[in-house]
Amino acid sequence: MRGTLVLFTATFPFRNFTEEVFLLPEVEALGRDFNKVIVVPLERRGEPIELSWSNIEVDTFIADSLFTKVKVLKSPYLLHHTVVSHYHHLAQESKSITEFLCGAFFCMNAKCFGDLIGKWIETRKLDTSDTLFYTFWFDHITSALAMISEGKGLKIVSRAHGHDVYDTQLPFRSHIFRAYTLDNMLGLYPASDDASGYIKKQYPAYGHKISTRILGSSKIFPEASASPHSASDKEWTFLSCARIEPEKRVDRCFALVKAIATAYPLNRIRWIHAGGGSLMDNLRKEIESVDLPSNLHIDLRGAMDNREVQYIYVSEKIDWSMLLSDSEGGCPITLCESLSYGIPVIATEVGGIPQIITPEVGITVAPDTPAENIVGELQPYLNNPCFYDDLRSGCIERWNRHFNSKTLRSDFSKELTGLITSRP
């Protein structure tokens, strides 16, 4: 064990089902390899998860700061000379006043929180030569660290996942400011090859600093595998797990199960969805507004913690997993979990999904593929149990070889310890 690692998160260890799944395996691995791990959440949301490792602590200095609680207090930083110095290139890059303001507010946040972090480093008396600063998201906190690194020589790394990768996920992103951030980092680790390729294309001068590091998934019930229905059951259950937000397009899952139920009226079709979100009411209204096939049964279970989701695989008969989103920055953990329990997948060909789902373990389609066409892709497997069994047989092996987070996170943690000795 060596050195100190400071891990900046969005809300973890405060309850956030998505980030909790991402970070618990990471923190466990980091705690084994670093002398001390300090977790710094940006916001408090809900009750905190208890972290039982003695060398892992939580410091809420950002979440508890007045700048976080009263955002208007950050506004004077818009006139700070460091922020103002970026306005020239923001004016060149932006195509509207809205884009310019987005860039200005990003610089404001980076400078504001950079000052806050700089004072915290001094207060904590951190030895920056023996400390690695790690942001789980490639956002304004990464840029904040870059801004203070010139005076303090910080060692900075970041992961990147989705909204912090693709420019289309935000109203505006300054490429000049992002290049400046990359220039002051040791490494950036996107969660899929697609994300890595995208950033390398945008910032070719920093390609040597960018490399994929997959998150993978943990298997809470390591000896278990899911049980599908038999042909004689005349029943199929489809499981989806995602936030009900615009980019996840959970409505497509509804359209697909409705089309399957229509195409197979003699079979009982069941759809279980785990996950809540801002579009839950819209989805419920859409379901209530149409005449459902009598053989279709829908079970919207809302937000669930990861143990509850994984328990579905071992306690209920599940035949297929679905994720039909418009955008994915990484290799979605929900699909990794499906493979780990032997469940074939139906998913869209976006982001890192094709990196997980090959023809040996599932079906991928373009995002705009009509539901009826996806049914056509599924028919060989729905009509012939032997073809379906062939898909199932390769799932667990593929997960164990490529997407087992126990191995992936341990390797990544050890890699990070090696950066302690690197020059910033």
Side-chain angles (χ1 to χ4, degrees):
M1 297 175 69
R2 63 162 305 140
T4 298
L5 181 135
V6 182
L7 171 61
F8 294 88
T9 71
T11 64
F12 183 88
F14 294 93
R15 175 125 274 175
N16 177 322
F17 289 125
T18 299
E19 204 176 38
E20 179 182 336
V21 175
F22 287 174
L23 275 159
L24 274 176
E26 192 97 324
V27 168
E28 183 177 359
L30 295 170
R32 288 194 297 266
D33 293 323
F34 285 86
N35 289 328
K36 180 185 287 188
V37 176
I38 305 173
V39 181
V40 181
L42 304 190
E43 295 182 43
R44 290 176 178 266
R45 291 185 190 171
E47 293 300 314
I49 302 161
E50 183 178 351
L51 303 179
S52 57
W53 301 278
S54 60
N55 63 330
I56 298 176
E57 64 174 279
V58 179
D59 195 315
T60 58
F61 76 96
I62 293 180
D64 294 339
S65 73
L66 285 175
F67 292 123
T68 299
K69 293 179 177 179
V70 187
K71 298 187 188 306
V72 71
L73 294 179
K74 294 182 289 186
S75 57
Y77 274 92
L78 287 169
L79 301 178
H80 192 283
H81 65 89
T82 303
V83 177
V84 171
S85 69
H86 290 278
Y87 287 173
H88 176 68
H89 74 74
L90 288 177
Q92 291 180 320
E93 290 183 276
S94 56
K95 298 176 181 177
S96 67
I97 187 64
T98 300
E99 289 188 354
F100 176 85
L101 289 174
C102 285
F105 285 127
F106 185 92
C107 293
M108 173 197 75
N109 279 310
K111 177 58 181 171
C112 174
F113 289 112
D115 285 355
L116 192 64
I117 294 167
K119 293 175 183 176
W120 175 78
I121 290 171
E122 294 175 0
T123 302
R124 292 290 302 250
K125 295 182 171 57
L126 292 180
D127 178 1
T128 55
S129 67
D130 200 37
T131 301
L132 186 66
F133 295 86
Y134 167 22
T135 59
F136 197 73
W137 306 90
F138 189 29
D139 57 12
H140 65 284
I141 295 298
T142 321
S143 296
L145 291 166
M147 292 180 84
I148 61 176
S149 180
E150 293 175 309
K152 298 183 182 294
L154 304 187
K155 297 178 174 69
I156 306 165
V157 297
S158 181
R159 283 196 185 265
H161 306 274
H163 70 273
D164 52 351
V165 172
Y166 302 103
D167 292 342
T168 54
Q169 299 290 300
L170 294 175
F172 173 76
R173 174 176 281 132
S174 167
H175 279 222
I176 294 174
F177 199 46
R178 174 154 277 200
Y180 163 82
T181 302
L182 284 164
D183 194 51
N184 286 280
M185 296 171 62
L186 293 177
L188 176 67
Y189 305 101
S192 72
D193 288 342
D194 185 82
S196 291
Y198 179 87
I199 299 177
K200 286 180 180 180
K201 184 176 180 180
Q202 300 292 321
Y203 308 93
Y206 301 100
H208 63 290
K209 293 186 177 185
I210 300 164
S211 51
T212 303
R213 294 296 180 270
I214 297 169
L215 294 176
S217 68
S218 300
K219 192 173 181 181
I220 294 174
F221 307 99
E223 304 304 320
S225 60
S227 299
H229 289 92
S230 65
S232 61
D233 290 335
K234 300 197 100 32
E235 181 174 348
W236 295 305
T237 296
F238 296 78
L239 173 67
S240 54
C241 179
R243 292 176 291 106
I244 307 181
E245 300 294 343
E247 71 277 8
K248 296 298 182 180
R249 292 302 305 267
V250 177
D251 59 316
R252 286 187 181 137
C253 294
F254 169 52
L256 177 56
V257 294
K258 186 157 67 74
I260 293 170
T262 301
Y264 291 87
L266 300 182
N267 287 58
R268 185 176 190 267
I269 309 302
R270 188 176 178 214
W271 173 35
I272 300 172
H273 180 78
S278 64
L279 297 182
M280 173 65 92
D281 287 343
N282 297 51
L283 179 61
R284 290 188 187 280
K285 289 176 183 177
E286 182 180 357
I287 292 170
E288 292 169 359
S289 68
V290 299
D291 291 328
L292 296 180
S294 60
N295 60 327
L296 175 60
H297 302 267
I298 296 175
D299 185 357
L300 303 180
R301 299 195 179 182
M304 304 174 70
D305 68 34
N306 190 240
R307 175 173 285 273
E308 291 174 321
V309 173
Q310 292 200 33
Y311 187 65
I312 295 173
Y313 288 112
V314 301
S315 62
E316 304 186 45
K317 289 186 176 183
I318 305 296
D319 301 281
W320 294 88
S321 174
M322 300 183 293
L323 184 65
L324 300 176
S325 49
D326 270 335
S327 174
E328 291 291 341
C331 297
I333 288 179
T334 182
L335 301 189
C336 297
E337 288 176 351
S338 297
L339 295 188
S340 76
Y341 288 100
I343 298 297
V345 170
I346 309 158
T348 41
E349 297 166 345
V350 296
I353 289 178
Q355 196 172 339
I356 312 174
I357 307 306
T358 62
E360 291 74 28
V361 296
I363 295 167
T364 57
V365 297
D368 57 354
T369 304
E372 291 74 18
N373 290 20
I374 302 177
V375 176
E377 296 281 339
L378 280 171
Q379 279 182 339
Y381 307 98
L382 298 178
N383 295 343
N384 191 326
C386 292
F387 292 161
Y388 173 78
D389 290 341
D390 286 343
L391 287 184
R392 287 193 72 242
S393 64
C395 291
I396 294 178
E397 180 184 355
R398 180 164 179 76
W399 169 78
N400 205 35
R401 182 174 296 180
H402 300 289
F403 303 104
N404 188 333
S405 70
K406 186 175 182 180
T407 303
L408 294 168
R409 305 304 183 92
S410 177
D411 291 347
F412 183 60
S413 179
K414 287 178 172 55
E415 182 180 357
L416 292 183
T417 62
L419 296 178
I420 287 286
T421 57
S422 300
R423 296 179 65 183

